[in-house]
Amino acid sequence: MNIAEYTVTEAGFGSDLGAEKFMDIVCDNAGLQPNAVVLVASIRSLKMHGGANAKELEQENISALQIGLENLQQHVNNIKAFGIPLVIAINQFKSDSAAEIKTLSAYFTAHQMEFALTTLFADGSKGAIDLARKVIKLASKKVTLKPVYQLTDKLEDKINKIVKRCYGAAGVEYAPLALTKLKQLNHRKAYVCMAKTPLTFSDDAKQIMINGPFKIHVKDLIVANGANFIIVMAGDIFRMPGLPKVPAACKM
């Protein structure tokens, strides 16, 4: 940050996990103030969140795309709640049809969302010039980060605020073990580090589409003293996921 005009960092996965941790933990702990956010999405991913078969994402599917945009809307709402301006970067694929791009553009225009179509994979840096210009413009604005919770809040309140504001959940259900630990840790001034699937807003990796109200199921609370975290284990999740047997690089 001391040797460049702009510092770009990735905060994956998604606004509900990576961005929330970055804003609430990293920025508070390090005294950082983000100036702009790039929210990356693709027509393929939106169609999948709209119910399209993962093996048929290259096929045109306007209805699935329109449903999937509801998922993107939650991510947009999350970033706006932090008080940071954002631009949506659509990672364009060769299979994206003209009708799908038109549907996407119409939605963003109707909802007054700043966006840019990027073709980085096909065109290299030239494919993101429009995005870069929009980021520079957004980053020039004066903003103040609004965290989800305060460090002095009760642990139960911190978790509730995260799941309701960032996931759109109706509330939290605690397993007996987690409930016992919650009572012991409720007044501890520690950051909350949520551990749940990145594939959906819920804690069920198979529930890609969210239909109606849902709750987050917490099975355990783990104290990380050195980092001053309370790790909240939600759903069936591994804290350190393994890499795939066949690296993605093999398909590039």
Side-chain angles (χ1 to χ4, degrees):
M1 292 178 67
N2 292 328
I3 60 173
E5 291 179 275
Y6 298 90
T7 301
V8 181
T9 183
E10 182 197 10
F13 297 95
S15 69
D16 53 326
L17 288 172
E20 185 275 316
K21 292 182 174 76
F22 181 76
M23 302 291 189
D24 285 329
I25 301 175
V26 178
C27 291
D28 184 76
N29 197 260
L32 298 177
Q33 169 62 62
N35 300 101
V37 170
V38 177
L39 183 60
V40 183
S42 68
I43 287 176
R44 290 166 58 92
S45 66
L46 292 173
K47 287 191 292 188
M48 188 173 72
H49 281 289
N53 190 311
K55 297 180 180 180
E56 300 175 352
L57 297 179
E58 293 188 359
Q59 299 177 17
E60 182 178 285
N61 192 333
I62 303 298
S63 60
L65 173 60
Q66 290 173 328
I67 296 171
L69 282 166
E70 295 176 10
N71 180 280
L72 182 64
Q73 184 66 60
Q74 177 66 47
H75 288 291
V76 171
N77 293 344
N78 287 347
I79 300 303
K80 285 185 175 180
F82 284 116
I84 310 300
L86 78 150
V87 55
I88 302 166
I90 296 299
N91 187 15
Q92 218 171 333
F93 284 76
K94 188 177 180 180
S95 61
D96 297 345
S97 72
E100 288 173 334
I101 294 173
K102 184 178 179 180
T103 299
L104 203 65
S105 299
Y107 181 87
F108 291 149
T109 301
H111 290 79
Q112 297 181 322
M113 296 178 182
E114 190 73 73
F115 74 100
L117 295 173
T118 66
T119 56
L120 280 160
F121 184 81
D123 303 321
S125 58
K126 292 181 180 179
I129 290 177
D130 181 45
L131 173 63
R133 286 173 175 160
K134 288 179 177 178
V135 171
I136 290 171
K137 184 178 179 180
L138 286 178
S140 65
K141 299 179 180 180
K142 290 185 178 181
V143 294
T144 301
L145 174 62
K146 301 173 183 176
V148 174
Y149 59 84
Q150 300 297 322
L151 204 57
T152 53
D153 291 344
K154 291 182 180 179
L155 176 59
E156 185 176 8
D157 292 337
K158 293 174 188 173
I159 297 171
N160 266 321
K161 288 178 180 179
I162 292 173
V163 302
K164 289 180 179 180
R165 180 172 132 178
C166 298
Y167 308 163
V172 187
E173 288 184 352
Y174 293 92
L177 175 63
L179 195 57
T180 298
K181 291 186 177 181
L182 179 66
K183 293 176 182 177
Q184 298 170 347
L185 302 169
N186 212 13
H187 294 281
R188 184 159 181 162
K189 294 181 181 179
Y191 296 105
V192 171
C193 187
M194 298 293 295
K196 77 168 189 69
T197 176
L199 301 178
T200 173
F201 285 117
S202 76
D203 54 49
D204 184 356
K206 295 179 181 179
Q207 191 181 358
I208 301 298
M209 290 180 67
I210 302 296
N211 296 314
F214 66 96
K215 290 187 176 182
I216 295 297
H217 304 90
V218 174
K219 62 181 181 180
D220 197 4
L221 300 173
I222 301 170
V223 178
N225 277 317
N228 195 28
F229 289 170
I230 303 295
I231 302 171
V232 180
M233 302 292 291
D236 187 17
I237 185 73
F238 292 104
R239 288 172 61 192
M240 182 57 72
L243 296 174
K245 291 181 179 180
V246 181
C250 294
K251 302 177 183 178
M252 293 180 182

